[in-house]
Amino acid sequence: MGDRHILHLRFVLPPGHDPDLLEQLHRLLQDVTPRVQMLPPDSAVLDLTGSLRFWNRDARGITDLIQLRAAAFFGVSSSAAAAPNPMLAAMAAALTPPGRRTVIDDTPEAIVLFLRPRPVRHLPGASTATAATLTEYGLHTVGDLADAPALALQRLLGARTGRTLHERAHGRDTTVVDPAPVPTGISAEHRFPHDELDPAQHRRALLALADDLGTRLRADGQITSSLTCTVRYADQTSTRRSRTLPPPRGHPAHRPPGPYRVRDIRVPWPATRPGPEHRPAGRRPETRSSRRPAAHPRRRRGQAPRDRIRRRPRPHPLRPQHALPRRPRDRRAHRRTSPAATSPDD
């Protein structure tokens, strides 16, 4: 897919803003191009390929127009990045400060100039463990990853991950902008007034966010199956971790014990800074829970004998063979099979 112009916007929403502000920004973006994909809670991806001729402007001019309208109509500043594909646009937007813009031209030289010096961890799909593995083998930058043979990367990272990272290291991404609305998610954000280094404050803020989201989920009668947490640092970098939760259970006896049993810590929130591989949190009505045991579950037939077998003591796997208890030998069977017990005529 050549000659594409993708714009990635990240709005700086004021604290305590109107819940309809993001929808108003969505309508503002649709006035520029109909191909708008909103990425809650504060990002959007636009395909400007078909709008350049209509507005008689290039990608840089349309980006300036959108940022000016968002600031004039709603007082919202934004960081913007235009690139030939969504992956490059998302990477450039993550490195662009608020109120500024970055434009990557649709030329191989511009793509190489932007992509090759970046650390491996900035590449979408390269987790912390993957980046550590690549660093052990001397692959520190995206340029090193692009120069490595594809088969070697597949041997180190697996067939799918190695092939995907090798394609992205060369700046290739075939993802399209889908204007269909994504399932809504519940998110929460906490901003420290200054650079906070106390782990106790981090934990207190995390538990407060989990408590708030849990209350909102229970009020809406919803359950969730995934959790994503994003931590942003003072140097504008961020760390994102996602986890798939076990099937939700509604009975209180199945809740995990501990000092936070009353506050359900398993309540998730979606990513605050989604990238090209953004997947919204899987929410569904509480009545569709896959596992919801009754108050007094009946034991299956034959469960009690199976439990007694599991409780039977077993020998230690590292105990020497001569230390195991010997079974009593059946002398009659031994006499029948012993060579001395057979007659010469046989």
Side-chain angles (χ1 to χ4, degrees):
M1 294 184 180
D3 299 333
R4 290 199 302 170
H5 299 274
I6 307 299
L7 177 62
H8 192 106
L9 289 170
R10 188 179 62 193
F11 299 103
V12 182
L13 302 178
H17 60 84
D18 186 4
D20 297 334
L21 179 58
L22 194 62
E23 182 61 28
Q24 296 173 2
L25 292 171
H26 185 199
R27 290 194 294 266
L28 172 66
L29 299 178
Q30 285 182 330
D31 292 339
V32 178
T33 173
R35 301 193 62 84
V36 179
Q37 180 179 359
M38 301 301 295
L39 302 178
D42 56 2
S43 299
V45 181
L46 295 78
D47 191 345
L48 305 177
T49 306
S51 303
L52 300 181
R53 185 175 180 181
F54 176 81
W55 291 96
N56 195 20
R57 301 189 182 193
D58 56 0
R60 191 184 305 269
I62 294 182
T63 301
D64 294 339
L65 176 64
I66 293 176
Q67 288 185 303
L68 181 60
R69 287 189 173 186
F73 293 157
F74 305 105
V76 175
S77 61
S78 61
S79 58
N85 57 60
M87 182 199 70
L88 294 175
M91 293 180 62
L95 301 174
T96 304
R100 305 293 297 274
R101 56 174 170 75
T102 302
V103 178
I104 303 176
D105 296 331
D106 190 9
T107 59
E109 294 78 11
I111 295 176
V112 168
L113 184 62
F114 169 79
L115 200 57
R116 290 185 67 88
R118 305 298 169 192
V120 175
R121 65 178 183 274
H122 289 178
L123 196 66
S127 61
T128 303
T130 302
T133 302
L134 295 174
T135 303
E136 292 179 359
Y137 288 90
L139 304 177
H140 301 276
T141 63
V142 178
D144 299 336
L145 191 64
D147 296 336
L151 294 179
L153 295 178
Q154 294 181 16
R155 186 176 182 87
L156 291 177
L157 308 174
R160 182 176 181 179
T161 304
R163 181 172 58 253
T164 301
L165 291 182
H166 188 264
E167 291 291 325
R168 292 177 178 175
H170 287 84
R172 293 190 284 266
D173 181 26
T174 59
T175 306
V176 298
V177 178
D178 186 8
V182 298
T184 58
I186 296 180
S187 63
E189 183 177 0
H190 178 80
R191 293 179 180 269
F192 292 103
H194 54 272
D195 297 343
E196 186 61 62
L197 301 178
D198 187 6
Q201 296 294 335
H202 300 166
R203 179 179 177 84
R204 186 175 295 110
L206 184 64
L207 294 180
L209 291 174
D211 182 61
D212 179 32
L213 291 170
T215 303
R216 294 163 59 184
L217 281 173
R218 287 190 291 269
D220 294 341
Q222 300 287 326
I223 58 176
T224 185
S225 60
S226 60
L227 179 149
T228 302
C229 178
T230 302
V231 179
R232 191 174 300 109
Y233 305 102
D235 57 352
Q236 299 298 325
T237 60
S238 60
T239 300
R240 185 175 61 183
R241 296 289 182 272
S242 299
R243 177 173 298 180
T244 301
L245 301 177
R249 301 181 177 184
H251 194 265
H254 294 274
R255 294 180 182 176
Y260 301 100
R261 182 174 55 184
V262 178
R263 306 296 186 184
D264 194 354
I265 306 303
R266 296 178 298 167
V267 175
W269 59 93
T272 59
R273 192 67 64 237
E277 296 182 343
H278 171 74
R279 296 292 184 274
R283 295 176 54 208
R284 56 188 183 274
E286 186 178 1
T287 56
R288 294 178 56 190
S289 175
S290 58
R291 300 182 63 180
R292 191 174 180 85
H296 301 284
R298 297 182 178 179
R299 302 177 65 86
R300 295 191 303 271
R301 188 175 184 180
Q303 184 70 22
R306 194 178 300 113
D307 292 343
R308 289 197 297 269
I309 294 175
R310 291 196 185 101
R311 290 194 297 266
R312 182 180 301 173
R314 300 179 180 179
H316 195 276
L318 299 181
R319 185 180 300 176
Q321 185 69 21
H322 60 79
L324 295 176
R326 296 184 177 181
R327 296 182 178 179
R329 299 174 61 184
D330 191 350
R331 297 184 179 276
R332 291 177 297 178
H334 178 71
R335 188 179 302 113
R336 288 195 300 268
T337 58
S338 175
T342 58
S343 59
D345 297 338
D346 297 338

